[in-house]
Amino acid sequence: MTQVIAVANQKGGVGKTTVAVNLARALQLMGQQVLIVDSDPQGSARDWYQASQNQNYDMPVVVGVDRPVLEISVQKLRGAFDTILIDGAAKLQDMTVSAIKAADFVLIPVQPSALDIWAAEDLVELIKARQSVTDGKPKAAFLVSRQIIGTRLANDANRALEALNLPILTARTTQRVAYAECMSTGSTVLDLESNGPATGEIKAILHELQTLIATPLKR
């Protein structure tokens, strides 16, 4: 059965595309058939895929669906892939709503700053509104992203996020050059440094995410 994961946050610059393409690659390396749906008109995931094709890399295919009919398009693709990852659009509420409707799980990357956490509140409201009419679906969780190593900001962010009453992944991404390099070259951290710390972060995120996806909804 196809699982659909939306990586969403209406605030730009939180690492949505980076998280989406690296998770997609990790799943592909596990033997899954994976599709990335780029729902942002800026097309960052599509640019990444084009770069990967220029380098003849065998990366997950990216398609663009940047109109608010995302849930219809994704529904038609269910069954053809093991996992569909939606790279969410920034600032476009209608696209965000469509992604939430399409998803089984919404992963919300948020940088450890007050501004980013405040910006996530509207998205949480949209998710909870959807959950209230669909028996708790989609599931959702926060991912602290682009943490600066050696600071206390992530712990402060966790305390602030707890007030929004969604799970917070223990795993997180940090500020590493490897993430920027993979986006510009059409690769992923799993290919650039298969045993490196960034790859360890992505694998930890995926493991925790899959555990949350497999956990039955509370009734």
Side-chain angles (χ1 to χ4, degrees):
M1 184 173 67
T2 303
Q3 62 179 5
V4 179
I5 303 168
V7 183
N9 190 327
Q10 289 176 279
K11 188 178 185 303
V14 297
K16 292 188 295 292
T17 303
T18 300
V19 169
V21 301
N22 279 281
L23 287 177
R25 178 62 168 158
L27 288 163
Q28 184 188 46
L29 291 173
M30 291 168 57
Q32 288 199 19
Q33 294 293 319
V34 184
L35 177 70
I36 301 170
V37 176
D38 186 351
S39 69
D40 195 331
Q42 291 185 352
S44 297
R46 279 167 278 181
D47 291 341
W48 169 84
Y49 183 66
Q50 183 59 56
S52 77
Q53 296 304 287
N54 293 341
Q55 298 294 327
N56 293 315
Y57 293 144
D58 181 25
M59 295 294 163
V61 172
V62 179
V63 297
V65 182
D66 52 15
R67 298 292 183 271
V69 292
L70 190 58
E71 70 272 21
I72 299 171
S73 300
V74 168
Q75 184 62 34
K76 292 179 180 178
L77 293 167
R78 282 184 181 269
F81 298 90
D82 298 305
T83 300
I84 298 173
L85 272 151
I86 300 171
D87 181 21
K91 300 181 181 178
L92 300 177
Q93 180 161 321
D94 54 351
M95 286 302 302
T96 302
V97 171
S98 191
I100 292 170
K101 290 180 179 178
D104 302 308
F105 196 101
V106 182
L107 182 63
I108 310 168
V110 59
Q111 293 187 104
S113 75
L115 288 175
D116 284 66
I117 294 166
W118 293 335
E121 291 180 2
D122 289 344
L123 176 58
V124 172
E125 288 183 8
L126 290 173
I127 292 169
K128 290 184 176 179
R130 179 66 177 172
Q131 290 174 335
S132 69
V133 297
T134 55
D135 295 325
K137 300 177 183 179
K139 295 179 182 178
F142 287 110
L143 166 67
V144 176
S145 66
R146 305 182 70 177
Q147 176 188 346
I148 300 173
I149 298 172
T151 70
R152 296 171 53 188
L153 291 174
N155 289 333
D156 293 342
N158 273 15
R159 286 193 291 271
L161 289 171
E162 285 170 0
L164 299 179
N165 296 314
L166 286 179
I168 307 164
L169 268 62
T170 302
R172 57 200 56 193
T173 66
T174 56
Q175 291 276 28
R176 298 187 186 276
V177 173
Y179 288 119
E181 288 181 348
C182 77
M183 292 308 300
S184 63
T185 59
S187 185
T188 72
V189 296
L190 294 96
D191 301 281
L192 291 177
E193 44 173 51
S194 59
N195 294 311
T199 294
E201 290 173 358
I202 294 299
K203 289 182 176 180
I205 292 165
L206 180 58
H207 176 75
E208 197 169 353
L209 183 60
Q210 289 182 316
T211 299
L212 285 172
I213 289 171
T215 302
L217 287 167
K218 294 181 180 179
R219 300 296 181 183

